[in-house]
Amino acid sequence: MTVFGTRPEAIKMAPIILKMNQNLDKFCPITVLTGQHREMLDQVMDIFKIKADYNMHIMKSQQTLSSITTSVISKLDEIINETKPDVILVHGDTTSTFAAAITSFYHKIPLGHVEAGLRTWDKYSPYPEEINRQLTDVLSDMYFAPTELSKNNLLKENHDINNIYVTGNTAIDALNQTVSDQYKHSVLNNIDKRHKLILLTMHRRENQGEPMRRTFKAIKQEIKKHSDIEIVYPVHLSPAVQKVAHEEFDNVERVHLIEPLDVLDFHNIAARSYFIMTDSGGVQEEAPSLGKPVLVLREDTERPEGVTAGTLKLVGTDSTQIQANMDLLLDNQDFYNTMSNAKNPYGDGKAAEYILNAIFDRFS
Ligand code: UD1
Ligand code: UDP
């Protein structure tokens, strides 16, 4: 049974579900959505043509962390009682992930954690994800760590080495299925071909409000300074994000505020961008494969592999840092080339296969 509820979990669980569907002699997959997200989750399910067996439909406008947790636990209880799965798989660090993990423990069902072992070791950054993933790892029986570094984090917490598998990140598996040379999108027609496209996303809870506003103001200063840049910003549907994005960017020239892109569009537009600015976790994993520099709008990251590889630079939400680093990428070709020539540290795009082989070997 796979249980997930938000856009990034769906993107990174999709390769596993699709691979199980190709091997029905070995697996009997049950796909369960918490429905923590709605439209943004549906987009992923549609693109990968995956049908859910159950959907808890829990999403509410301005939902709280407690309401997500309690709704998932009570509804997953019923689904588990009905289906009695042999193994439950969760992904990453959302509140759906943690709630599904604790529910599987209550039912004594073996739990596999995909994308296990990421850490900042800072309780409130990112919030609540750092604690969601630590708690999920406490509850797990099999750990699918994307890199050696995440494996080492798990070892520091005394998890048994025999239960840890370094598989790469399934984000790379997904990316291999979406990016194409033939791709076209109307947003690209609206951008002057001589201009540089900067792709922006920002949604994290700890950035909502003042940090987000400060970041957008800094970007507006850069738009005034550089007449050859255009910002494409697919705005997350959270009301807290929508409000600040529209207040700061409506009617600002060379800023394209658009609806969240489906993953095929997002990956292809990212592949055509000059660079990316984001506080997203998943985007930090995808950028090295695409050869795109990323200014990370956060104080720290659980994806230091991308910083070491040279693709990611942490700039936080300080105006001076943001503007200085945008200037460097736009004006200093050597700086740009160093960031865009980094190697992908997240595996060979076969993570789903490695994960399923490990599960099959253990349970068959
Ligand atoms: C959640 C995860 C975060 C992840 C992000 C991916 C938690 C606590 N947070 O944060 O780790 O990075 O997803 O995007 O698990 N909304 C819609 N339609 C949608 C999706 C969201 O309208 O399809 C709106 C709803 O009003 C909802 C709000 O967005 O209440 C916030 O959604 P929520 O899942 O609580 O938080 P995210 O910021 O999306
Ligand atoms: N993404 C997308 N459409 C968008 C923005 C992002 O499909 O408009 C994809 C992106 O490629 C990545 C994932 O969504 O795979 C990241 O999700 P998000 O930033 O919402 O969450 P996080 O990774 O920070 O948890």
Side-chain angles (χ1 to χ4, degrees):
M1 173 183 282
T2 50
V3 187
F4 53 98
T6 66
R7 168 173 67 192
E9 296 164 85
I11 293 169
K12 293 188 259 183
M13 278 297 206
I16 299 176
I17 297 168
L18 294 174
K19 186 66 73 191
M20 281 199 278
N21 286 343
Q22 290 165 3
N23 291 282
L24 294 175
D25 54 327
K26 292 182 173 168
F27 299 99
C28 175
I30 308 169
T31 305
V32 178
L33 303 182
T34 66
Q36 178 178 335
H37 282 175
R38 193 166 45 213
E39 301 85 346
M40 288 162 52
L41 179 63
D42 294 344
Q43 283 181 321
V44 185
M45 301 299 279
D46 291 347
I47 286 289
F48 289 109
K49 299 190 176 55
I50 295 171
K51 293 228 176 330
D53 298 296
Y54 295 86
N55 189 337
M56 303 174 208
H57 293 294
I58 65 156
M59 196 191 89
K60 295 194 192 101
S61 179
Q62 288 167 338
Q63 58 204 1
T64 64
L65 300 175
S66 311
S67 78
I68 299 169
T69 309
T70 51
S71 306
V72 171
I73 292 176
S74 63
K75 293 190 181 189
L76 186 56
D77 240 358
E78 291 168 24
I79 298 170
I80 290 176
N81 282 335
E82 189 184 322
T83 54
K84 305 204 177 343
D86 295 310
V87 184
I88 292 183
L89 279 187
V90 292
H91 174 276
D93 55 19
T94 72
T95 296
S96 286
T97 308
F98 162 65
I102 189 93
T103 316
S104 61
F105 167 67
Y106 290 154
H107 288 260
K108 295 191 180 165
I109 294 173
L111 180 70
H113 188 195
V114 180
E115 204 179 276
L118 279 64
R119 296 288 184 269
T120 60
W121 312 107
D122 179 343
K123 188 173 178 182
Y124 292 109
S125 177
Y127 168 80
E129 291 83 0
E130 176 66 13
I131 292 302
N132 282 343
R133 57 188 167 229
Q134 289 193 23
L135 294 175
T136 302
D137 283 333
V138 168
L139 297 162
S140 293
D141 301 282
M142 294 182 84
Y143 301 89
F144 303 108
T147 64
E148 288 293 333
L149 196 107
S150 37
K151 176 181 174 178
N152 287 335
N153 288 339
L154 291 163
L155 292 175
K156 279 183 206 157
E157 291 172 358
N158 293 325
H159 296 297
D160 185 342
I161 195 164
N162 296 312
N163 295 331
I164 306 173
Y165 305 81
V166 177
T167 60
N169 197 305
T170 55
I172 307 303
D173 305 29
L175 206 54
N176 288 345
Q177 296 176 37
T178 51
V179 177
S180 127
D181 291 342
Q182 315 303 324
Y183 177 82
K184 291 194 171 52
H185 191 282
S186 57
V187 77
L188 296 170
N189 299 336
N190 299 332
I191 290 172
D192 188 323
K193 299 257 178 311
R194 293 161 301 178
H195 288 175
K196 290 171 175 151
L197 187 167
I198 300 172
L199 182 60
L200 169 67
T201 80
M202 201 167 186
H203 72 277
R204 303 228 82 82
R205 271 169 205 253
E206 67 272 18
N207 278 339
Q208 288 172 7
E210 198 39 46
M212 212 170 257
R213 198 176 289 285
R214 195 163 61 228
T215 302
F216 297 163
K217 284 191 192 302
I219 293 174
K220 283 199 284 191
Q221 290 303 319
E222 290 299 298
I223 293 170
K224 279 193 200 141
K225 196 161 153 192
H226 299 271
S227 58
D228 64 340
I229 62 173
E230 303 213 22
I231 311 288
V232 173
Y233 179 7
V235 188
H236 191 291
L237 293 178
S238 167
V241 180
Q242 290 276 334
K243 180 174 183 294
V244 183
H246 284 283
E247 283 173 4
E248 291 298 330
F249 282 135
D250 273 351
N251 305 317
V252 175
E253 67 165 343
R254 288 179 279 118
V255 177
H256 307 268
L257 285 195
I258 56 175
E259 296 282 307
L261 290 162
D262 70 44
V263 60
L264 192 111
D265 292 333
F266 189 84
H267 284 172
N268 279 284
I269 289 178
R272 283 156 183 78
S273 68
Y274 192 62
F275 66 86
I276 300 172
M277 300 179 70
T278 192
D279 65 358
S280 161
V283 177
Q284 293 177 57
E285 290 152 357
E286 295 160 353
S289 272
L290 298 170
K292 300 298 169 185
V294 181
L295 299 182
V296 182
L297 305 167
R298 292 173 46 179
E299 304 305 329
D300 52 17
T301 181
E302 60 287 295
R303 276 114 175 152
E305 297 91 343
V307 178
T308 308
T311 322
L312 310 182
K313 183 151 186 213
L314 290 175
V315 297
T317 58
D318 172 72
S319 313
T320 314
Q321 275 292 320
I322 291 171
Q323 289 190 238
N325 282 286
M326 287 181 77
D327 284 342
L328 275 171
L329 280 173
L330 291 166
D331 299 333
N332 181 333
Q333 198 60 46
D334 289 342
F335 183 85
Y336 181 87
N337 291 345
T338 307
M339 282 188 80
S340 59
N341 287 332
K343 275 213 186 89
N344 153 40
Y346 292 113
D348 60 4
K350 291 187 185 163
E353 187 180 319
Y354 302 142
I355 291 167
L356 290 174
N357 285 347
I359 293 174
F360 190 73
D361 286 350
R362 178 166 300 202
F363 291 99
S364 61

